[in-house]
Amino acid sequence: MAWDFSTEPEFQEQLDWVEEFCRTEIEPLDLVFPGAAYSRDPKAKALADPLKQQVKDRGLWALFLDRELGGPGFGQLKLALLNEILGRYRSAPVIFGTAAPDTGNMEMLAAYGTDEQKRRWLYPLMNQEIFSAYSMTEPQGGSDPSLFQTHAARDGQEWVINGEKWFTSAGARADIIFVMCTNGMFVVPRETPGVEVMEYPALHNHIRYTDVRVPLDHLLGPEDGAKVLAQRRLGGGRIHHAMRTVAQVKLAFDMMCERALSRESHGKVIADHQMVQEAIAESYAEINMLRLLVLWTAWTIDNSSTREARTQIAACKYTCAKVLREVSYRALHIMGSLGTTNLTPLQGMWASAPTMAILDGVDEVHKVTVARNVLKSYEPHPGLWPTEYIPAKREEARKKYASLLAADPDLSAWADHAARATARGH
Ligand SMILES: Cc1cc2nc3c(=O)[nH]c(=O)nc-3n(C[C@H](O)[C@H](O)[C@H](O)COP(=O)(O)OP(=O)(O)OC[C@H]3O[C@@H](n4cnc5c(N)ncnc54)[C@H](O)[C@@H]3O)c2cc1C
């Protein structure tokens, strides 16, 4: 029987180690030296690098990459189980070499890069010797790629890029930027003349590219292939976000349950009030629905491809935003006034729910994708009645019993009576 919801013991051991490591090593680092894991400061690196080394020694570095590319080759299902732990801790993804936006960019490089491009950019990215960003969205509109204008013109042995991008996460500190142009995906070193990072927004950068010249071999994948590469990149990124969201909503749920058992109001612990119980029960069901959707999608990717799983990935994308919104709100509410402060993770989690509904494509666009793809396996019914119109189906079914009904008038009368009785119900 192939349906199995258990984890093999050897991998469970790895998960247990990761849980313990995150709790005893990563969480204290996050609390005392926030941002150290991302920093290039030598003192911060001296704190974070030994943790990264422990992860490497354990064979858990760059979890999302296949074995031939230097990752452990676990596949997406195991990655989902690991991300259910990592997603709880702010810098766990970077300590494990699986942080966005680098992961998606690495997947794109792994899938489309030449050997030379992989040598130059993929392996240094894997080792966090360099960091990257992804420049796709433009100020005039992000949801519709047909509105994008950034273009690369060929001039001798170089491409000359002109355009303007908006909300390039970590663009200001990236060494290389993957720039989506109308005619291809280009790798642009940030220090290249003509790359101008604006002052605002601080984290997700507004960048102007003015006569930016890169050599011909900085085109990634085929000319005019940017949309295909973007789908490859964003598909992976979306499912990884959904995996980490499962971790976040479980954290919110744990906080909600602990609090429900710890406070009293009107003569009983608040866990005994039915509306609190409803919040817990709804959250429990929603978290598990999301989790199963994410695991099923990961399993589908492992058994086919990101492309084959695109409808499921799109469903994960808006479902994770919705469950994050619902569960973090309920947890914050049950925490009372403390929940509205930044003294617990809940306020940040609640604030991140609208962000989750926008990043990697707004929910509306993903819902359209799901509806369109799902509808491809349906057809309109012929004639006036839907396929499930019972009188028509019954007439059809009676043909199967035609000789029996003709031979037995009592049975025929019984069938007529039963049909009328059923119809009278409405
Ligand atoms: C935290 C974060 C990180 C990001 N990182 C990056 C990054 O690294 N690189 C990058 O290139 N981009 C990045 N983005 C940008 C992101 O991809 C865009 O914000 C997103 O694609 C939406 O584009 P927009 O903001 O221009 O919104 P718009 O396209 O203007 O959409 C705004 C609203 O219009 C409505 N709408 C739009 N289209 C439709 C439709 N087809 N049907 C129904 N309603 C619709 C929706 O209500 C939507 O929310 C990031 C965004 C966030 C929030």
Side-chain angles (χ1 to χ4, degrees), residues 11-72:
F11 193 65
Q12 186 58 52
E13 258 179 48
Q14 292 277 45
L15 294 175
D16 294 343
W17 181 85
V18 172
E19 185 126 41
E20 168 87 3
F21 179 73
C22 286
R23 203 168 34 77
T24 57
E25 300 293 341
I26 297 183
E27 188 168 43
L29 182 79
D30 273 347
L31 288 169
V32 183
F33 304 104
Y38 302 83
S39 176
R40 298 188 200 216
D41 177 272
K43 284 196 173 162
K45 276 176 73 62
L47 291 166
D49 284 355
L51 300 187
K52 294 177 187 174
Q53 192 55 50
Q54 282 194 58
V55 170
K56 288 176 184 166
D57 294 344
R58 194 83 198 179
L60 292 170
W61 183 255
L63 297 162
F64 61 101
L65 282 179
D66 291 338
R67 205 175 280 276
E68 64 271 22
L69 293 166

Side-chain angles (χ1 to χ4, degrees), residues 288-335:
N288 282 300
M289 286 191 279
L290 171 65
R291 180 170 186 255
L292 289 175
L293 178 64
V294 169
L295 293 176
W296 172 53
T297 304
W299 178 89
T300 306
I301 297 171
D302 285 344
N303 287 283
S304 55
S305 66
T306 311
R307 188 173 160 67
E308 285 293 312
R310 64 193 183 284
T311 308
Q312 288 157 262
I313 292 173
C316 286
K317 165 65 183 56
Y318 56 77
T319 307
C320 80
K322 183 177 172 188
V323 176
L324 180 63
R325 187 180 69 225
E326 298 298 326
V327 174
S328 66
Y329 178 81
R330 290 185 199 119
L332 184 156
H333 188 72
I334 286 174
M335 193 65 75

Side-chain angles (χ1 to χ4, degrees), residues 101 133-144 165-170 204 233 354-365 368:
Y134 180 66
S135 244
M136 181 178 87
T137 307
E138 301 197 0
Q140 69 276 10
S143 298
D144 181 359
K165 294 289 183 180
W166 167 252
F167 244 72
T168 299
S169 299
H204 307 283
R233 186 207 178 278
T355 304
M356 192 61 82
I358 290 175
L359 66 83
D360 288 345
V362 299
D363 282 359
E364 287 92 332
V365 172
V368 168

Side-chain angles (χ1 to χ4, degrees), residues 18 147 213 267 321 371 408:
V18 172
L147 299 174
R213 288 180 172 268
D408 187 341

Side-chain angles (χ1 to χ4, degrees), residues 28 67 110 112 156 162 181 209 223 243 246 260 262-263 351:
R67 205 175 280 276
Y112 291 96
N162 277 288
C181 293
Y209 298 89
E223 204 174 334
M243 292 170 182
V246 174
S262 310
R263 298 281 283 194

